[in-house]
Amino acid sequence: MQELISVIVPVYNIMDCLPRCVESIRSQTYSNLEILLVDDGSDDGTEKLVDELAGTDDRIRVFHKPNGGSSSARNLGICKASGSYLGFVDSDDYIEPQMYERLMGCIRENKVRMAQVSRDEIDAGGRRLPNVCEPPREAYVCGGESFMRELLLHRGDCSFCTKLTDKALFDRHQFPEGALNEDFHLLVEMLGEIDGIAVAPEQYYHVFYRIGSNTRKKTKQEFSRVFMDIVDNADMAERTVKEKYPALKKEAVRFGLFQRLDYMLHIPVERMKKEDVFYQSVKRYLRKHIWDTIENPFLSKKNKAYLLLLTAAPKTVRQIHAWKMKGHGR
């Protein structure tokens, strides 16, 4: 008998994309699944749409809650899930019909607690974007420490949306609420409890870049929040490596420097002030790790050049960078 899979979909003001998302889950070749639509305080009619969608398939269960963010909705879904394995799909994304059959096959074949397919990125015009994570040429099992290394080198996929996970792994862990890069944090915590992740090359998960989604907004405020979260995650990763994976020290330092490079290239120039405590902490980290920047084998020459310039004169470099990005430097 097939084991039950619970697919959790956090939902918030997504009238245009939700039907496609839900239909892609309903159409799975692996039929023994339930679909948990967790309405996170929608107020644009989506709160009614989820109830209508539930009437189309008795496998759909709906939960309504006050707005608390994607992690809060996911955590509620985990508590309500009946399945032995959990999958997650963002409400603006969609999946191929074979996805969960493939994932469950990987879990059974390799006797692992987590499996992952690959993904692609689609823009609002339907055009395929460059891969964020390159799919492997063939399926393989990646050990916990090896997967951690891939994450630190920005080659691994931290998203739980591409994965199928043993529900028991969530008994002691939940998604951190109030953060936008929550998947990375949770996955790093779980890696120490699993022997490995089965990785399949098929790009069965489609990320849809819809203007206005939580992690894809283009406002200065949202970018500031995202890049503060990834710096916090870098610190957490360094602590985890020190405790569990000491052989990955150079990779962890590279990760910490790279995340701070992203932060420094995106923080609004007007926030680069002495009064901004977080910004000042990033500056101190870069100054402390100048020699790591120069000697780290996992940073490109371009990364090193930007890091050293931003360490020496961060505000000036950002102003010049912004000027060039607008085309004035051509």
Side-chain angles (χ1 to χ4, degrees), residues 222-287:
E222 288 296 335
F223 266 116
S224 298
R225 180 184 168 194
V226 167
F227 288 96
M228 290 171 69
D229 287 341
I230 66 172
V231 169
D232 287 339
N233 278 340
D235 289 342
M236 181 271 293
E238 284 199 63
R239 292 192 298 269
T240 301
V241 164
K242 183 177 181 180
E243 179 183 350
K244 298 180 179 179
Y245 313 110
L248 300 180
K249 181 179 179 179
K250 289 183 178 180
E251 288 88 342
V253 172
R254 178 261 179 203
F255 188 74
L257 289 167
F258 193 94
Q259 300 299 79
R260 285 169 173 82
L261 173 59
D262 261 1
Y263 171 87
M264 292 294 276
L265 289 175
H266 288 88
I267 180 176
V269 175
E270 58 268 23
R271 288 191 54 174
M272 302 173 79
K273 299 178 180 179
K274 293 181 179 180
E275 296 79 15
D276 193 306
V277 176
F278 196 92
Y279 166 66
Q280 293 299 327
S281 72
V282 171
K283 284 176 57 179
R284 286 194 298 272
Y285 184 97
L286 295 181
R287 289 169 181 168

Side-chain angles (χ1 to χ4, degrees), residues 95-265:
I95 61 179
E96 291 296 316
Q98 313 95 319
M99 180 168 138
Y100 285 113
E101 184 174 17
R102 179 69 164 123
L103 286 168
M104 185 59 81
C106 289
I107 285 175
R108 289 170 174 166
E109 179 182 350
N110 297 286
K111 296 181 173 57
V112 293
R113 304 179 71 184
M114 184 182 293
Q116 170 188 295
V117 294
S118 299
R119 60 182 165 115
D120 59 17
E121 329 284 323
I122 309 295
D123 71 10
R127 295 176 292 269
R128 183 170 172 172
L129 301 172
N131 291 323
V132 173
C133 301
E134 289 297 329
R137 293 183 179 180
E138 57 186 24
Y140 73 108
V141 176
C142 190
E145 183 167 349
S146 295
F147 202 93
M148 182 68 180
R149 185 173 189 271
E150 293 299 291
L151 292 177
L152 295 175
L153 295 178
H154 287 94
R155 297 193 301 231
D157 183 1
C158 68
S159 174
F160 274 86
C161 289
T162 55
K163 296 174 178 61
L164 185 62
T165 306
D166 184 345
K167 186 186 178 185
L169 287 170
F170 292 93
D171 289 347
R172 296 196 305 109
H173 305 286
Q174 64 177 8
F175 289 98
E177 299 184 15
L180 290 181
N181 203 29
E182 65 273 21
D183 290 43
F184 179 89
H185 189 283
L186 181 58
L187 182 59
V188 168
E189 287 185 348
M190 285 187 177
L191 283 177
E193 300 182 21
I194 59 177
D195 294 330
I197 300 175
V199 181
E202 295 88 354
Q203 290 177 297
Y204 285 161
Y205 190 95
H206 305 296
V207 177
F208 179 62
Y209 279 83
R210 177 183 66 91
I211 296 174
S213 65
N214 279 348
T215 59
R216 300 159 198 165
K217 290 181 180 177
K218 305 301 181 185
T219 66
K220 291 181 179 180
Q221 291 77 16
E222 288 296 335
F223 266 116
S224 298
R225 180 184 168 194
V226 167
F227 288 96
M228 290 171 69
D229 287 341
I230 66 172
V231 169
D232 287 339
N233 278 340
D235 289 342
M236 181 271 293
E238 284 199 63
R239 292 192 298 269
T240 301
V241 164
K242 183 177 181 180
E243 179 183 350
K244 298 180 179 179
Y245 313 110
L248 300 180
K249 181 179 179 179
K250 289 183 178 180
E251 288 88 342
V253 172
R254 178 261 179 203
F255 188 74
L257 289 167
F258 193 94
Q259 300 299 79
R260 285 169 173 82
L261 173 59
D262 261 1
Y263 171 87
M264 292 294 276
L265 289 175

